[in-house]
Amino acid sequence: MTHATQPILPAFAAIEGRPITLGVLGGGQLGMMFVHAAQAMGYRTVVLDPDANSPAGLVSHHHVLAAFDDAQALASMGRLCDAVTTEFENVPAATLEALAQDIPVSPPAAAVAIAQDRVQEKAHFEASAASSGVGPAPHAVLLDEADVARVSAQGEALFPAILKTARMGYDGKGQVSVANAAALAAAWAELHRVPCVLEKRLDLQAEISVIVARGHDGTCVNLPVQLNTHVDGILARTEVFEGNIDHALGQRAVQAAQAIANDLAYVGVLCVEFFVVQTPKGLDLVVNEMAPRPHNSGHYSMQACDVSQFELQVRTMTALPLVQPRLHSASVMLNLLGDVWSNTGELRTPAWDDVLALPGIGLHLYGKLEARKGRKMGHITITAPTIAQARDTAEQVQAILGLWH
Ligand code: ADP
Ligand code: MG
C-alpha cells in the first residue's frame, strides 16, 4: 500500500472547498448500496463501470463509463476521488496498484489478487491456519495435464469432489461435480482445461460466514455470524439471531476471519465463508473462500444492525472510527433471483404490495431491468423481536413469491 498513513476523510471537511469524493470500482448492487451508504454520510461518489445502466452508476454523483483497465479512466478516478474501494473482486490487481500511486485504495491490491484466485486463496488459508486455527478442505491444484494424471492416479481419497476454476467463479459458476478419479480428466476438459482446484465434497452440517472490517490502524470489528442456505450454489437465505450457531464455534469463526484479515494486512470489509462439518470429536470448521468486499450474506445488517456492512466499508476507506456493530433484531434475509418474476410460468411483477403488508419487511430492489433466471435482482430482510416471528413472516413472503427454500 502506497499510503501507509491514511488521512481521516470526514465528509464534512471539504478539501480546498471541494467535497470529499469516494470512488468504487464496479457498478453492481454492492456498489449501489455502498453509494447509498456513502451519500447518507455526506460524501460525493464516483462509480467506474463499463455499463451505462449499472445499478451503482445510475445512483452515483459521477459515473466513469469505461473498462477497469482503461488508463484514461483510471487517471480520472485518481483526479476525482479522495479514496477508492471495490465492489467487484475480479477487478485487475494492476488497476488497484495504478490507483494506489495517487490515492488511498482499500482493500490492498495484494489481498484482492489472492481472493480472486482459488489457488492462491487456498495457499493463504493453509499458511494462516497456524494463526486462524481453521484450514481449508482437502484439495489438489490442477494447472496442467500432468497434475490431472497425477491426481487421478492417487486413488479415491479426494472423491467425490468438486472441480472449481481458479479464477472468475461465482454463484456456483465454474464448478462441476466429479464422482471419482476416473471422471477427472473429462471434468477438467468440461472446464476448458484452465487452472483449477479439486476439492473433496464435504458433508456440510451448515454454512456460515463472518464479515470483518479492518481499519488502517489494525482495528478489527465484525458483524455477527451469518447462517446461510445455498440453493444450486447460490445464496438463498441468511438467518442471523443470537444462538443461530453453537457459541464456541461462532467465536472460532470470528477469530479465524480476523486472523485471515490480519495476515493479509487487510484494510476494508472482508467476508470469510466457512463450512460446518461433523467430525468424531464434534462439529468443526473448514474455511471455504473469502470475498474482499461486502457480501450478499451481510445484507441483513442494513436492517438488523446499528452499523451496516456498507457503512463499515465507508468507515474503513476514510479511516473513521470502527465500533463493534450490534445486532438489534433477529433477521431472515431472502434473496430475490430473476426466477421470482417467472416462477408462475409467465413473466409478471411479483406482488410487492402483499409482501409489504407484512410486518418488519425491508424490500431492496437493485433496479435491474431484465429479470433473468439466477440473476440477483434484490433481497428482502425480515426483522422481528424473535427468530420465530421472523421465520413466520418469511414463510408468508415465500408463499406470496413462490420461493421454496
Ligand atoms: P462460489 O464462488 O460460487 O460461491 P463456493 O466455493 O463458495 O463458490 O461454492 C458454492 C457452494 O457450493 C458453497 O456455498 C457450498 O454450498 C457448495 N460447495 C462448495 N464447495 C463444497 C465442498 N467442498 N463440499 C460441499 N459443498 C461445497
Ligand atoms: Mg461462495
Side-chain angles (χ1 to χ4, degrees):
M1 163 125 204
T2 315
H3 295 258
T5 49
Q6 141 106 49
I8 295 175
L9 294 170
F12 44 82
I15 294 174
E16 293 162 4
R18 184 175 59 79
I20 307 275
T21 303
L22 304 182
V24 59
L25 306 173
Q29 63 269 15
L30 298 174
M32 185 189 82
M33 291 181 271
F34 163 77
V35 164
H36 286 156
Q39 291 179 342
M41 294 170 79
Y43 294 97
R44 297 282 171 91
T45 59
V46 187
V47 169
L48 174 66
D49 192 282
D51 177 1
N53 289 313
S54 74
L58 288 172
V59 300
S60 177
H61 294 101
H62 307 277
H63 180 183
V64 177
L65 194 66
F68 297 112
D69 57 359
D70 182 315
Q72 236 181 327
L74 296 184
S76 308
M77 292 298 284
R79 261 194 322 275
L80 284 166
C81 302
D82 295 287
V84 166
T85 187
T86 182
E87 65 110 44
F88 174 57
E89 68 208 70
N90 290 319
V91 63
T95 294
L96 298 174
E97 276 157 17
L99 286 168
Q101 300 302 315
D102 297 331
I103 40 173
V105 172
S106 60
V112 176
I114 293 171
Q116 63 190 205
D117 182 328
R118 287 191 201 274
V119 176
Q120 291 187 51
E121 187 179 52
K122 289 273 193 283
H124 178 74
F125 289 153
E126 278 184 328
S128 50
S131 52
S132 76
V134 179
H139 64 278
V141 172
L142 305 182
L143 300 180
D144 55 27
E145 206 82 48
D147 289 336
V148 175
R150 183 177 46 78
V151 172
S152 302
Q154 272 170 1
E156 301 296 330
L158 275 179
F159 298 91
I162 304 177
L163 187 62
K164 305 180 179 179
T165 59
R167 304 183 73 87
M168 296 298 199
Y170 69 100
D171 289 345
K173 294 186 178 67
Q175 299 191 9
V176 289
S177 276
V178 194
N180 49 44
L184 181 58
W188 192 50
E190 200 181 315
L191 294 176
H192 308 289
R193 298 189 168 85
V194 295
C196 283
V197 171
L198 180 76
E199 214 175 292
K200 188 175 175 63
R201 181 181 284 282
L202 303 174
D203 184 13
L204 310 184
Q205 302 298 305
E207 293 192 62
I208 62 175
S209 55
V210 175
I211 289 167
V212 296
R214 188 172 183 276
H216 289 265
D217 61 357
T219 307
C220 214
V221 299
N222 63 281
L223 292 177
V225 178
Q226 292 113 208
L227 177 63
N228 303 320
T229 308
H230 292 79
V231 177
D232 298 332
I234 308 181
L235 183 69
R237 178 186 183 107
T238 296
E239 290 196 349
V240 184
F241 58 95
E242 195 59 52
N244 62 351
I245 188 83
D246 172 80
H247 183 73
L249 206 66
Q251 285 298 105
R252 274 189 63 206
V254 169
Q255 280 161 15
Q258 289 186 350
I260 287 165
N262 280 332
D263 291 349
L264 287 166
Y266 199 82
V267 177
V269 171
L270 177 76
C271 179
V272 186
E273 297 180 8
F274 298 90
F275 297 145
V276 178
V277 293
Q278 186 72 54
T279 71
K281 289 191 212 140
L283 293 177
D284 202 3
L285 292 173
V286 168
V287 57
N288 174 32
E289 61 169 356
M290 60 184 169
R293 49 167 173 79
H295 192 257
N296 197 167
S297 65
H299 290 351
Y300 74 98
S301 60
M302 285 187 281
Q303 256 83 33
C305 296
D306 53 5
V307 183
S308 77
Q309 61 172 348
F310 300 103
E311 180 172 338
L312 290 173
Q313 188 177 20
V314 174
R315 288 193 188 208
T316 51
M317 75 189 290
T318 52
L320 289 173
L322 293 175
V323 176
Q324 179 67 31
R326 186 179 68 86
L327 180 78
H328 54 68
S329 294
S331 63
V332 176
M333 189 282 304
L334 300 172
N335 251 353
L336 300 171
L337 302 182
D339 311 52
V340 175
W341 275 252
S342 59
N343 58 11
T344 53
E346 60 194 80
L347 203 65
R348 59 164 178 92
T349 302
W352 302 129
D353 47 350
D354 291 344
V355 171
L356 288 166
L358 297 169
I361 297 289
L363 173 64
H364 297 252
L365 294 170
Y366 308 146
K368 298 180 185 177
L369 295 177
E370 204 190 329
R372 291 194 296 270
K373 267 195 177 315
R375 189 179 198 200
K376 288 177 179 168
M377 300 295 290
H379 69 272
I380 291 176
T381 300
I382 299 137
T383 52
T386 67
I387 188 62
Q389 285 165 281
R391 282 178 178 158
D392 181 60
T393 304
E395 216 168 286
Q396 296 179 62
V397 171
Q398 288 171 291
I400 293 166
L401 298 179
L403 284 171
W404 304 122
H405 44 73

